[in-house]
Every structure is written in structure tokens, then in C-alpha cells.
Amino acid sequence: MGPVRQQRGASVGLEQVQRALRAAREAAPDEACGLLLRTPTGIAVEPRGVGTRTGFHIPARELAAEAARGELLGVWHSHPVGPPDLSPEDLNGLWEGALALVVGLQWPSAALYRLEAGTPRLLSLWTRAVLADS
Ligand SMILES: [Zn+2]
């Protein structure tokens, strides 16, 4: 693979957000969740784990099985009734350098963060205007 091909699909983009948004709508009013996984065919965002109305959990067994499929970049989950802000509990589940994609169903909107020196840095924001037709 040349550098151009490697670049394609190398980051979390609208396609991944739309897939997470669909899963989030199906799971509502519970949260949906999964891992952000770099695989040979792109960034995977399949729903995994267990969501409730106030949180989510990805069992270690599922996490290990997923991590065997590709490079673990981070996690994604939904907020069925709120904005895509990271809660203190969300932050506790992250590790240094991890990506966190949060899909908020209220408008809808989505945000991608990376944990840097213990602080979430906003990398991308998808607004209602972008996601309206998703
Ligand atoms: Zn959350």
C-alpha cells in the first residue's frame, strides 16, 4: 500500500459517526457503545458491550476479542438525552492517547476527543447541520 491509500480511512470521520449514530438510535433510550478499532479496511465502530440509560460497559472478554482484530484507538458511546460532552465517568474510562467519540442524540451532534496529559482535547465536532440527513 502506498502512502495515499494508507491515509484513506485512517481517522474517525463522518462515515464512522453516521454508523455510531445509527447504532445509538437503535439502542435508545439506552446508551450504545463500542471500540474505535483500526482494521485493514478502515476504522471499525461496531456496537459492543452493554449500555444502560446512564452509562455503558465493555466486558474485558469483548475488549480482548476486539483488540485482536486491529489496533485499539479508543472508545465510542452515545448520550441518548444530552450533548456529546465527556462526563467524569467517561474520562475515567479513557487512557492516555485514547480517542473518545461521543454521539449526542438530542440534536444530534457528535464530538471526537483525545486524552492528552489527562485532559480531553476536542479534535472534531459534527453539528446537527452535518448530521441532519444521517
Ligand atoms: Zn458518556
Side-chain angles (χ1 to χ4, degrees):
M1 289 209 294
V4 172
R5 187 168 291 203
Q6 282 180 336
Q7 188 61 34
R8 183 175 295 156
S11 63
V12 175
L14 183 60
E15 182 187 337
Q16 281 75 28
V17 172
Q18 287 171 329
R19 292 194 62 180
L21 183 58
R22 282 197 295 274
R25 284 178 171 144
E26 286 171 16
D30 290 331
E31 293 191 9
C33 58
L35 300 174
L36 299 169
L37 204 67
R38 179 181 283 133
T39 75
T41 54
I43 307 290
V45 289
E46 278 91 9
R48 294 285 186 261
V50 181
T52 68
R53 296 199 181 203
T54 56
F56 68 97
H57 173 66
I58 301 175
R61 187 188 307 168
E62 269 189 85
L63 207 146
E66 280 289 274
R69 296 175 55 221
E71 181 190 349
L72 183 58
L73 302 179
V75 296
W76 70 268
H77 74 286
S78 65
H79 288 170
V81 292
D85 299 332
L86 286 172
S87 70
E89 291 78 14
D90 293 339
L91 272 173
N92 280 340
L94 296 178
W95 60 96
E96 185 64 18
L99 296 178
L101 174 67
V102 187
V103 176
L105 285 181
Q106 196 172 8
W107 293 299
S109 56
L112 178 70
Y113 306 88
R114 183 192 292 124
L115 194 66
E116 295 179 0
T119 303
R121 184 161 83 90
L122 181 65
L123 300 181
S124 301
L125 192 62
W126 292 268
T127 63
R128 173 171 61 181
V130 173
L131 297 174
D133 298 328
S134 299

